[in-house]
Amino acid sequence: MASFTVENYLKAIYGLSQKQPGGVSTNAIAEAIGTKAATVSDMLKKLSANKLIHYKKYQGTTLTTKGAALALNIIRKHRLWEVFLVEKLDFRWDEVHDLAEELEHIDSDELINRLEAFLDNPKFDPHGDPIPDKSGVIHRREQVALTDIQVNKAGVVTGVKDSSKEFLQYLDTQGIELGNKLVIKEVFEYDKSRTIELDGKAMTLSHQVCKNLYVKTEA
Amino acid sequence: MASFTVENYLKAIYGLSQKQPGGVSTNAIAEAIGTKAATVSDMLKKLSANKLIHYKKYQGTTLTTKGAALALNIIRKHRLWEVFLVEKLDFRWDEVHDLAEELEHIDSDELINRLEAFLDNPKFDPHGDPIPDKSGVIHRREQVALTDIQVNKAGVVTGVKDSSKEFLQYLDTQGIELGNKLVIKEVFEYDKSRTIELDGKAMTLSHQVCKNLYVKTEA
DNA sequence: AAATAAATTTAGATGAGTCTAAAAAAGTTA
DNA sequence: TAACTTTTTTAGACTCATCTAAATTTATTT
Ligand SMILES: [Mn+2]
Ligand SMILES: [Mn+2]
Ligand SMILES: [Mn+2]
Ligand SMILES: [Mn+2]
């Protein structure tokens, strides 16, 4: 029903509102979508007219219930297609995002529900992000960044905060993947780097890397 | 690279040129795409400027090598997605066309080649239409319409000429599907209907139906 | 509280794809 | 051949999504 363009705006606003719950700025949307602020202003008027966002000039915007439902369905489709690409077509986790950006716009609930069943109802995508269910409900996992756990605390790698190709490929070079067990061995205050033991193997990770790696710690 | 719209024009021209090898008329394209002749005229100028078609005003159009290659790749994607939908997601053969119309525009050779391998390199789609290979080569099957074989001749159902929902669903009600073995028992000259034996079961088929059912006869 | 800077919106323009109505070309019939 | 019909193209207008440049509002500094 909604055009590709509208769907992309809604998805962008949804994503940004996770960080800026008070209202997403025009500039932030422009940057996320790769367009100009003037273009965004125009579009916000249209989205508002269609009751997809709450919008008052100069005040930033938030999704309406209707807008959020649409955004979540697109995210659901994006993540399920990513699972398909990795699990069934053997793509690597750093290769699937752009394809999913296209596939997410295929308009069929029946298709996505069958795909979900075909994939055995996965709850997380290849980057550890939760997959909204048919009603748009997301079950978030309790997980924390590696920077937030103490020395000698153990955990399992459950996701990435930065899912850029570059970061994912870096993790590949280090042999780090979802499901790995790790323990923090030492924190160097100097540069906040950490040495860890990952499935028995010792390695050093920069602060930058630790910030972007999520783990679930054992109760 | 080419827009959805351009891809749909190329596909339509390709399809129509199978019936009208001398050159496809503006009106025929308009009807196939569901648009107006004026719109098609405009588009033909653009396609011609992009060297995708041969075009002289008032003379009808044919695809260039470049245009045909693009069209065949879209057809390849369409048919492979249809196989996926039927074989992996358990859609019926009368349900997949519209979804494939969307999926065919996903722009990735890597994706479609992996999908092809995942499906075990099928040679035909769920309606019996041949799937072009990576280079755009189509291996056509020798098959004839049921109207073109003699009494007591046996054959195997290999495809449909009309792949409308209505016809496919009619075939479902009669239990006719690809792979069925049949023999023509009798032809009634009055209305050109035929009685056949299909996997042992006797039935009568109208001329209309026989025209649109393809079979491969045993040498 | 002014002045300045930054963010946002408006104004006006563009290109893709579409439409209706009118003109032109091609085809058919008398 | 001339008249009529059908097909195709052109002309002009519209929507959607975008842009640049200018105006306006809000935020920050002096
Ligand atoms: Mn992604
Ligand atoms: Mn998108
Ligand atoms: Mn089809
Ligand atoms: Mn299409």
Side-chain angles (χ1 to χ4, degrees):
Chain A
M1 201 101 297
S3 68
F4 275 38
T5 307
V6 165
E7 293 190 345
N8 283 340
Y9 273 88
L10 294 176
K11 189 160 60 97
I13 295 167
Y14 181 91
L16 292 165
S17 66
Q18 303 299 102
K19 304 270 158 176
Q20 243 119 299
V24 176
S25 77
T26 301
N27 264 351
I29 299 168
E31 194 187 359
I33 289 189
T35 184
K36 294 299 163 78
T39 308
V40 174
S41 261
D42 252 17
M43 181 59 74
L44 292 182
K45 274 186 272 182
K46 291 180 208 165
L47 295 177
S48 181
N50 283 48
K51 309 250 186 253
L52 295 167
I53 61 172
H54 301 292
Y55 176 56
K56 276 202 190 112
K57 277 200 238 178
Y58 297 101
Q59 295 312 125
T61 186
T62 54
L63 293 174
T64 60
T65 307
K66 189 178 160 198
L70 276 176
L72 279 161
N73 194 235
I74 299 158
I75 289 165
R76 168 173 160 80
K77 290 190 281 181
H78 183 104
R79 293 181 181 166
L80 283 168
W81 279 116
E82 285 191 341
V83 174
F84 170 72
L85 294 171
V86 167
E87 294 298 317
K88 301 296 183 182
L89 300 194
D90 296 321
F91 280 96
R92 294 191 314 266
W93 66 346
D94 61 291
E95 296 177 312
V96 297
H97 182 75
D98 291 348
L99 280 170
E101 284 291 314
E102 291 191 56
L103 288 160
E104 72 190 3
H105 300 290
I106 301 291
D107 178 28
S108 168
D109 287 339
E110 179 70 18
L111 170 58
I112 209 65
N113 292 343
R114 285 187 187 228
L115 182 65
E116 182 179 40
F118 178 62
L119 299 171
D120 293 321
N121 305 297
K123 299 304 174 208
F124 300 93
D125 82 3
H127 315 105
D129 294 313
I131 296 171
D133 71 15
K134 292 174 180 54
S135 337
V137 177
I138 290 191
H139 297 285
R140 284 202 179 64
R141 189 155 37 185
E142 328 91 46
Q143 58 184 8
V144 292
L146 255 191
T147 42
D148 294 328
I149 61 175
Q150 309 308 316
V151 169
N152 283 325
K153 197 84 171 148
V156 174
V157 179
T158 50
V160 293
K161 183 172 184 196
D162 169 9
S163 53
S164 69
K165 248 190 196 59
E166 294 70 33
F167 184 51
L168 298 176
Q169 287 174 0
Y170 171 80
L171 295 177
D172 285 344
T173 67
Q174 303 304 300
I176 300 173
E177 53 188 48
L178 300 194
N180 284 153
K181 282 186 186 167
L182 59 77
V183 191
I184 305 271
K185 302 306 276 187
E186 196 172 1
V187 179
F188 298 99
E189 282 311 320
Y190 171 61
D191 63 355
K192 295 181 183 143
S193 68
R194 283 157 170 76
T195 50
I196 68 169
E197 209 172 279
L198 182 100
D199 283 353
K201 200 171 43 170
M203 57 178 76
T204 304
L205 301 178
S206 70
H207 181 64
Q208 167 91 3
V209 167
C210 293
K211 256 192 333 193
N212 287 306
L213 256 190
Y214 289 129
V215 295
K216 185 172 184 233
T217 55
E218 276 122 48
Chain B
M1 201 102 297
S3 68
F4 275 38
T5 307
V6 165
E7 292 190 344
N8 283 339
Y9 273 88
L10 294 176
K11 190 160 60 96
I13 295 168
Y14 181 91
L16 292 165
S17 66
Q18 302 300 102
K19 304 270 159 177
Q20 243 119 301
V24 177
S25 77
T26 301
N27 264 351
I29 298 168
E31 194 188 358
I33 289 189
T35 183
K36 294 301 163 75
T39 308
V40 174
S41 262
D42 253 16
M43 180 58 75
L44 292 183
K45 274 186 272 184
K46 291 181 207 163
L47 296 178
S48 180
N50 285 64
K51 309 252 186 249
L52 295 167
I53 60 171
H54 300 292
Y55 175 56
K56 277 203 189 110
K57 276 200 234 178
Y58 296 102
Q59 295 312 125
T61 187
T62 55
L63 293 173
T64 60
T65 307
K66 188 177 161 199
L70 277 176
L72 279 161
N73 194 235
I74 298 158
I75 290 165
R76 170 173 159 79
K77 290 191 279 183
H78 183 104
R79 293 183 181 165
L80 282 168
W81 279 116
E82 285 191 341
V83 173
F84 170 71
L85 294 171
V86 167
E87 294 297 318
K88 302 297 183 180
L89 300 194
D90 295 320
F91 280 97
R92 293 191 314 267
W93 66 345
D94 61 291
E95 296 177 313
V96 295
H97 183 76
D98 291 348
L99 280 169
E101 285 291 314
E102 292 192 56
L103 288 160
E104 72 190 3
H105 300 289
I106 300 293
D107 179 28
S108 167
D109 287 339
E110 180 70 18
L111 170 57
I112 209 65
N113 292 342
R114 285 188 188 227
L115 182 64
E116 182 178 40
F118 178 63
L119 299 171
D120 293 321
N121 305 296
K123 299 304 173 208
F124 300 93
D125 82 4
H127 315 104
D129 294 312
I131 297 171
D133 71 15
K134 293 173 179 56
S135 337
V137 177
I138 291 191
H139 297 285
R140 283 200 179 66
R141 189 153 40 183
E142 328 91 46
Q143 60 183 8
V144 292
L146 254 192
T147 42
D148 295 327
I149 61 174
Q150 309 308 316
V151 170
N152 286 323
K153 197 85 171 146
V156 175
V157 179
T158 50
V160 293
K161 183 172 183 193
D162 170 9
S163 53
S164 69
K165 249 191 194 61
E166 294 70 32
F167 184 51
L168 298 176
Q169 287 174 359
Y170 170 79
L171 294 178
D172 285 345
T173 67
Q174 303 305 300
I176 300 173
E177 52 188 48
L178 301 193
N180 285 153
K181 282 188 185 164
L182 59 78
V183 190
I184 306 270
K185 302 306 277 188
E186 197 173 0
V187 179
F188 298 99
E189 281 312 319
Y190 171 62
D191 63 355
K192 294 181 182 143
S193 67
R194 283 157 170 75
T195 52
I196 67 166
E197 210 173 279
L198 182 101
D199 283 353
K201 199 173 43 169
M203 56 179 73
T204 303
L205 300 178
S206 71
H207 180 65
Q208 167 91 4
V209 167
C210 292
K211 256 193 334 196
N212 287 305
L213 256 190
Y214 289 130
V215 296
K216 186 172 182 229
T217 56
E218 277 123 47

